Amino acid sequence: MKKSTVYNEDEFLMISGIQHFSFCRRRWALIHLEEKWNENYLTVEGRVMHERVHNSDVVDYHNSIITYRDMAVKSAELGITGRCDAVEFVPCENGIELFGKPGQWSVRLVEYKHGNGNFKESDRLQLIAQVMCLEEMFCCDIDYAFVFYNQTHRRDKVQASAELREKLKSMLLEMYDYYNRGYTPRVKTGQKCRNCSLKDICIPQLPKRLTVEKYLENAYEDREA
């Protein structure tokens, strides 16, 4: 993605969609282009966990660390917006300044995930997107962030590497291409489809340029004929 690229806020894609897109392009398009959604036990467990974490009215002070929850973030350069589960500001030298707070601070991101600590690429890419938003907003550099998995109850460190950053930028370009064309791609079925909450409405055998909504509309017309 070129550094000169700046998106308008009404064009911004959701950071949460990065995880969907990394897992399955078609799943992302069904949710974010065709506005289809269905829940299963995995999505419910994940939603409940995030509802417990997200409380933007609470600011935690512990061991000199300030923690803001459910922080809204965005990047005009990347064209994305979303919310961070927890952003910690840690006292340090040569950090950023916070309004109304003495001293200087480093920025530390913590994302909460449902699972057992098996790093998925989708988790890393979503985390890096949030890191890059925070860097743009606070004019700082963030070298790493953390994922907290609910089944292990520990933080796993993720380096904000140049490789992950470039991978994210390439993925966002592909997402914007689909978004601007309103294109829902086909998908090869596989084991990952078994636990997908949209498997009953995905209909992967659809022609490339036919949306689920149009498919169902045509099927209804055929029955009425």
Side-chain angles (χ1 to χ4, degrees):
M1 183 177 292
K2 297 179 181 179
K3 288 188 175 181
S4 59
T5 301
V6 176
Y7 294 90
N8 296 320
E9 288 199 31
D10 57 358
E11 299 176 315
F12 285 0
L13 300 177
M14 296 301 298
I15 291 175
S16 59
I18 293 169
Q19 191 173 39
H20 296 144
F21 194 86
S22 179
F23 176 76
C24 173
R25 268 62 169 166
R26 184 173 177 81
R27 176 179 171 84
W28 172 82
L30 289 173
I31 295 171
H32 294 271
L33 299 185
E34 300 191 30
E35 299 182 352
K36 306 294 183 184
W37 180 246
N38 192 30
E39 287 204 305
N40 61 12
Y41 75 97
L42 291 174
T43 61
V44 170
E45 288 178 356
R47 175 171 53 81
V48 170
M49 184 190 69
H50 279 87
E51 287 174 353
R52 290 173 182 167
V53 173
H54 286 198
N55 188 344
S56 56
D57 295 329
V58 175
V59 179
D60 295 333
Y61 296 86
H62 184 67
N63 292 335
S64 300
I65 297 174
I66 305 173
T67 303
Y68 289 86
R69 301 188 183 279
D70 196 30
M71 177 183 285
V73 295
K74 62 183 178 181
S75 167
E77 183 177 328
L78 297 176
I80 53 178
T81 185
R83 308 190 81 86
C84 296
D85 289 338
V87 180
E88 299 175 343
F89 295 92
V90 184
C92 73
E93 297 180 1
N94 301 319
I96 66 168
E97 295 183 356
L98 291 177
F99 179 76
K101 308 293 182 185
Q104 295 183 318
W105 308 81
S106 64
V107 184
R108 190 164 66 190
L109 170 67
V110 183
E111 178 72 7
Y112 288 74
K113 292 294 183 184
H114 174 73
N116 58 11
N118 267 340
F119 267 139
K120 303 185 183 80
E121 183 178 69
S122 56
D123 291 346
R124 289 176 172 163
L125 290 171
Q126 182 182 4
L127 194 73
I128 293 304
Q130 294 171 332
V131 163
M132 295 178 74
C133 286
L134 289 169
E135 288 179 329
E136 185 175 322
M137 291 170 61
F138 290 102
C139 297
C140 67
D141 295 322
I142 301 174
D143 296 328
Y144 58 87
F146 293 94
V147 179
F148 179 90
Y149 287 98
N150 70 321
Q151 292 182 18
T152 60
H153 292 280
R154 77 163 187 266
R155 293 183 176 188
D156 291 331
K157 190 175 183 179
V158 177
Q159 293 291 335
S161 66
E163 180 183 359
L164 274 177
R165 292 170 186 266
E166 289 305 313
K167 196 164 206 174
L168 171 68
K169 291 177 183 179
S170 296
M171 179 174 288
L172 288 173
L173 286 177
E174 188 180 354
M175 291 170 69
Y176 262 105
D177 178 57
Y178 288 173
Y179 179 80
N180 291 331
R181 291 191 288 142
Y183 173 68
T184 300
R186 299 180 71 178
V187 65
K188 292 182 179 180
T189 56
Q191 188 173 1
K192 67 180 181 180
C193 299
R194 295 175 58 187
N195 292 326
C196 179
S197 65
L198 299 181
K199 64 181 179 181
D200 292 333
I201 62 174
C202 176
I203 319 176
Q205 69 272 23
L206 287 180
K208 288 185 179 180
R209 300 188 180 276
L210 191 63
T211 65
V212 169
E213 184 176 354
K214 189 64 179 177
Y215 173 85
L216 295 175
E217 180 183 325
N218 291 346
Y220 177 79
E221 289 176 354
D222 290 341
R223 287 196 301 269
E224 292 295 308

